[in-house]
Amino acid sequence: MAGRFPSTRIEALLARMTLDEKIGQMTLVSAGQAVTGPSGPVDYVQAIRSGGVGTVSNLWDPVQNREVQRIALEETRLGIPLLFVMDVIHGHNTVFPLPLAEVGAFDPDLWRRTARIAATEAAASGLAMTYAPMLDIARDPRWGRIAESPGEDPWLAARFAEAKVQGFQGDDLAAADSLAATAKHLAAYGAVTAGRDYATVDVSDRSFHEIYLPPFRAAVAAGVAAIMPAFHDLAGVPMTANAAVLRAVVRERWGFEGVMVSDYGAVAELIVHGVAADIAEAAALALRAGVDIDLMGNAYARGLPAALERGRVTIADIDAAVRRILALKDALGLFEDPYRRGGPLSPTQLSAHRDVAREAARRAIVLLTHRSGVLPLAASGGVIAVLGPLADARADMLGPWAAAGRPEDMVGMLEGLRGAFADREIRHARGVEIGGGDASGIPAAVDLARAADVVVLCLGEARAMSGEAASRARPDLPGRQPELAKAVLDLGKPVVVVLSSGRPIMAPWLFERADAVLATWFLGSEAGHAVGDVLSGRHNPSGRLPVSWPVEIGQIPIFYARRPSGRPADPAQYWSSKYLDLPVDPLFPFGHGLSYTRFAYRDLRARPQTLRPRDSITVEVDIANEGAVAGEDTVFLFIHDPLASLARPLMELRGVAKITLDPGAHGTVTFTVGTDDLAFLGPDLAPRLEAGAFEIYVGPSAARESLLVTTIELVTDERTDAVGPARS
Ligand code: BGC
């Protein structure tokens, strides 16, 4: 990591450090404004004074941070500055949509801008590092952490990784508004068994390298400062102790020189996993795997001295970790000026951040269904009944992982709709609570709906129902909400459902019966305004699904990039890869999202149609806006290798493009496909190119019937040409 402090100064500092001071640098304590795991009473100030702490989590009051930093600088023997870190997952003071929601804007520039703003605000709170971006591919909506994830697709997640790392870290890590980013949780955490958080993971080497690692590799290529190994075990080897991945792949093959920070308490948990007999062994396994910082396990402090005595680790192992930690502090400019972060933000800056939050929120909204032209709602006219437990629920708009966000700063649905429809009468009733069993409010809500012209039904999950440790075996509409919804739908009035959740919600009847359903996930500070913008037509919805949305739980795990079966699913063929009781396709495919206008695709062409290794081709398609309003379309490019030495997925994403068109207008979207896009990991998991035909699919989602197709030909001199760079 490029630092400012000459490495000789780091070496000189290292030479002066005692073993305890070195281990102190490798120790992270959570100081407690927000706690994300089990904790005991820790007198962190005393621990800092004794030189026993190098990094502090969860302090984000600039005055307090300054004072704590002063203690480290003035009251410890060596005066090494502290690193302040926090989970800045989707915004800091200004809360942006959940990652899963923001990914649905399919816009790397937006992803980068929101991370930049989050970094600016977090740095103004005195923080220098974040535990983000979260890069776990998620294909199981039971897993609560799907909310924090970039969705189901590795290519997309890799683009998200690059944008977020650039956004958080800026051009110069030492700048007063830059944060060190942490790519987490390496890797395959999204594949926890049956969607249960922290459970075991057992994926093939191929899936691990082809699906789960690419976003991390992209983060490393973008210069990410830190990596966090995940909590789980991978086929018996906890990631915290997984030297074969952390050292051999990430450090040696990818050349990652940054810091590895354990997950919360994960070093000590190696004992519970059953791979370490005691804390010394746990510490030794983690350090030898490459973990530099022990986050709240107090395992390095308790275990490393004994591990050293037993010869399980060497002082050189410890020095290497400390060197990386000091280099990170140096790169962040902390040796030069430890107080450079922590300046106030102006009201103008904060209001500009809110504008971006509104833009991000409305672009994240996915119009899932739309019948009978109910939307947009007219600006004037009769009564709108805004019903449901999420209609007036500011705190829930925060979603999970928004510790610095304040409920009173959120704009709820009701408030947003009152603003958007100032000339219409708006009436409100909750009907039911989200998870509660009390249905006594339903009749009053139904009466209100009966007297209204249109109903906006705000349903979904509470913010604590997704995120960490929030897996749901039944990811449906919780509590008595189905009763409320059915009673309202039975009236036969136009009903628009605004569905807030951290995951796809399985309620097929709702999608069949409502006139329109919008997935609004958790949209953050500007949630209500964004929903108002979309329902009023001031913003034509453009968000798309970054995950396949299942019909029912029994389809999980579900994703578009399936490999072909020898007996493809066919409801008419008994001996085929189908269900007896459900379709195999999701209710809404990856990329799905409706607009108030219609786009038509014509004339897909690839030029040239033949390419050789390291060439690229241009793929173009014409798009026309055939509706009555302007709109933004998102266009996907997938490839398929129909004949190879291994069965390849039926479709793999390789490009996303955007086009905005006025009604009646048309334009052309252009993609570039290079031979790296056609390479895959061969039987030995080394990247390779195989000659032959490739199909190129272009269109509005992963639904095969919506796509245009053309074929290109890859010509190689030999059957296999070496290619680079590898994708995992
Ligand atoms: C989570 C991480 C988080 C860490 C620190 C853990 O429980 O798994 O995602 O960064 O806590 O708060």
Side-chain angles (χ1 to χ4, degrees):
M1 182 159 307
R4 334 205 116 203
F5 206 53
S7 62
T8 47
R9 301 244 331 247
I10 289 186
E11 291 308 318
L13 187 54
L14 196 60
R16 291 175 59 209
M17 293 171 82
T18 63
L19 177 63
D20 285 350
E21 283 163 341
K22 289 177 182 173
I23 296 174
Q25 285 304 303
M26 300 164 73
T27 298
L28 187 155
V29 297
S30 187
Q33 266 175 284
V35 172
T36 59
S39 65
V42 183
D43 184 351
Y44 71 91
V45 173
Q46 191 40 43
I48 291 168
R49 258 192 206 106
S50 70
V53 176
T55 306
V56 177
S57 238
N58 296 332
L59 281 188
W60 68 91
D61 172 341
V63 177
Q64 192 180 4
N65 288 28
R66 214 180 163 82
E67 171 55 14
V68 174
Q69 186 67 288
R70 191 199 60 73
I71 293 171
L73 294 169
E74 295 174 11
E75 299 181 21
T76 65
R77 193 178 76 92
L78 295 172
I80 300 173
L82 288 169
L83 181 56
F84 291 105
V85 52
M86 184 168 154
D87 290 287
V88 179
I89 305 296
H90 53 113
H92 188 61
N93 310 107
T94 307
V95 181
F96 297 110
L98 280 182
L100 187 66
E102 199 195 27
V103 170
F106 284 90
D107 183 348
D109 181 58
L110 179 73
W111 303 336
R112 194 188 45 70
R113 281 191 288 140
T114 56
R116 188 86 292 278
I117 290 171
T120 306
E121 292 187 352
S125 297
L127 295 159
M129 177 164 164
T130 172
Y131 303 121
M134 192 277 212
L135 301 175
D136 298 309
I137 300 299
R139 298 175 164 190
D140 187 338
R142 291 173 298 185
W143 189 47
R145 304 199 80 169
I146 193 172
E148 301 166 51
S149 91
E152 75 177 50
D153 186 74
W155 184 91
L156 181 66
R159 305 292 79 76
F160 185 75
E162 293 154 1
K164 287 296 178 195
V165 170
Q166 287 159 6
F168 284 129
Q169 298 193 170
D171 297 330
D172 177 8
L173 212 46
D177 61 358
S178 284
L179 292 188
T182 308
K184 74 181 188 185
H185 312 80
L186 194 130
Y189 185 21
V192 281
T193 304
R196 199 157 39 81
D197 209 0
Y198 316 129
T200 197
V201 170
D202 208 332
V203 297
S204 68
D205 281 353
R206 168 160 306 279
S207 297
F208 191 67
H209 286 268
E210 206 168 83
I211 297 164
Y212 296 103
L213 282 183
F216 291 93
R217 177 142 200 190
V220 169
V224 75
I227 286 179
M228 180 186 285
F231 280 125
H232 64 267
D233 76 282
L234 178 66
V237 186
M239 287 309 306
T240 308
N242 204 322
V245 174
L246 304 185
R247 269 201 195 282
V249 176
V250 179
R251 288 217 188 277
E252 281 156 33
R253 201 187 306 163
W254 298 355
F256 175 67
E257 291 176 353
V259 161
M260 289 215 192
V261 51
S262 82
D263 205 342
Y264 199 109
V267 179
E269 285 171 15
L270 292 174
I271 300 172
V272 194
H273 276 287
V275 298
D278 58 18
I279 201 74
E281 187 58 19
L285 286 175
L287 182 62
R288 289 163 63 132
V291 174
D292 305 308
I293 297 181
D294 165 20
L295 195 169
M296 271 310 261
N298 204 18
Y300 279 178
R302 286 182 296 150
L304 279 183
L308 202 55
E309 262 169 41
R310 290 182 203 166
R312 296 288 292 132
V313 297
T314 64
I315 195 71
D317 296 330
I318 292 176
D319 285 352
V322 176
R323 221 175 254 122
R324 283 191 285 263
I325 295 162
L326 296 178
L328 174 59
K329 291 185 174 184
D330 175 30
L332 283 162
L334 295 173
F335 285 110
E336 245 178 26
D337 175 9
Y339 299 115
R340 68 178 46 185
R341 294 176 182 79
L345 293 172
S346 70
T348 327
Q349 261 174 307
L350 287 169
S351 122
H353 296 175
R354 294 286 296 213
D355 292 346
V356 178
R358 184 167 181 162
E359 179 199 341
R362 61 193 194 183
R363 294 180 64 199
I365 295 172
V366 184
L367 180 59
L368 293 170
T369 63
H370 187 201
R371 278 179 218 98
S372 60
V374 65
L375 293 174
L377 302 178
S380 55
V383 174
I384 306 177
V386 181
L387 308 179
L390 282 145
D392 191 13
R394 288 177 165 192
D396 285 305
M397 301 298 107
L398 288 161
W401 290 114
R406 301 186 312 175
E408 61 270 31
D409 294 338
M410 302 299 111
V411 178
M413 306 296 182
L414 191 59
E415 191 183 342
L417 293 176
R418 286 204 165 117
F421 297 96
D423 294 334
R424 291 188 71 162
E425 188 183 339
I426 293 194
R427 297 194 195 142
H428 165 61
R430 286 179 82 77
V432 294
E433 296 306 317
I434 296 176
D438 180 7
S440 61
I442 294 180
V446 171
D447 284 348
L448 215 137
R450 194 177 286 115
D453 297 270
V454 59
V455 181
V456 176
L457 202 46
C458 302
L459 305 174
E461 298 182 307
R463 64 181 292 225
M465 288 178 174
S466 62
E468 186 173 352
S471 294
R472 295 181 63 211
R474 277 194 299 265
D476 56 6
L477 262 190
R480 308 293 285 268
Q481 294 183 88
E483 279 168 66
L484 169 67
K486 286 174 184 169
V488 170
L489 288 162
D490 284 346
L491 296 174
K493 299 260 169 187
V495 175
V496 176
V497 175
V498 173
L499 188 60
S500 299
S501 62
R503 53 163 65 81
I505 293 291
M506 273 131 270
W509 54 270
L510 184 69
F511 298 103
E512 263 164 42
R513 297 192 55 194
D515 293 276
V517 181
L518 298 106
T520 58
W521 316 106
F522 290 110
L523 294 174
S525 301
E526 289 287 315
H529 286 148
V531 169
D533 288 343
V534 168
L535 294 192
S536 66
R538 243 167 268 155
H539 178 80
N540 185 354
S542 58
R544 303 299 190 89
L545 291 179
V547 283
S548 305
W549 189 298
V551 182
E552 291 272 13
I553 301 159
Q555 293 180 316
I556 296 171
I558 189 162
F559 48 93
Y560 79 83
R562 297 193 295 258
R563 284 194 289 263
S565 161
R567 296 180 173 192
D570 179 352
Q573 292 293 329
Y574 190 79
W575 308 106
S576 82
S577 177
K578 65 178 192 322
Y579 294 114
L580 289 177
D581 51 356
L582 274 184
V584 294
D585 289 327
L587 187 59
F588 306 114
F590 174 89
H592 172 78
L594 304 174
S595 160
Y596 295 155
T597 192
R598 276 187 332 274
F599 296 99
Y601 290 63
R602 275 182 215 102
D603 193 17
L604 175 65
R605 59 232 182 232
R607 289 202 194 99
Q609 279 188 298
T610 301
L611 77 168
R612 294 183 161 274
R614 294 183 180 78
D615 286 353
S616 61
I617 59 164
T618 301
V619 176
E620 289 184 331
V621 68
D622 296 335
I623 301 185
N625 180 348
E626 296 189 335
V629 288
E632 175 189 282
D633 195 19
T634 304
V635 190
F636 299 91
L637 181 146
F638 302 93
I639 61 148
H640 176 217
D641 186 348
L643 180 63
S645 54
L646 286 160
R648 299 300 304 150
L650 291 166
M651 292 198 299
E652 293 178 273
L653 187 65
R654 288 292 180 268
V656 178
K658 295 262 185 194
I659 187 165
T660 300
L661 292 170
D662 285 333
H666 56 87
T668 300
V669 157
T670 306
F671 300 89
T672 303
V673 177
T675 45
D676 280 354
D677 293 317
L678 307 179
F680 64 94
L681 303 181
D684 55 356
L685 296 181
R688 67 198 257 146
L689 267 182
E690 289 184 7
F694 287 80
E695 292 157 1
I696 306 272
Y697 291 89
V698 174
S701 79
R704 195 71 171 245
E705 63 280 4
S706 70
L707 298 163
L708 299 179
V709 60
T710 187
T711 304
I712 58 167
E713 181 83 15
L714 173 68
V715 178
T716 61
D717 297 330
E718 294 161 30
R719 190 172 129 79
T720 304
D721 271 52
V723 285
R727 289 205 302 272
S728 78

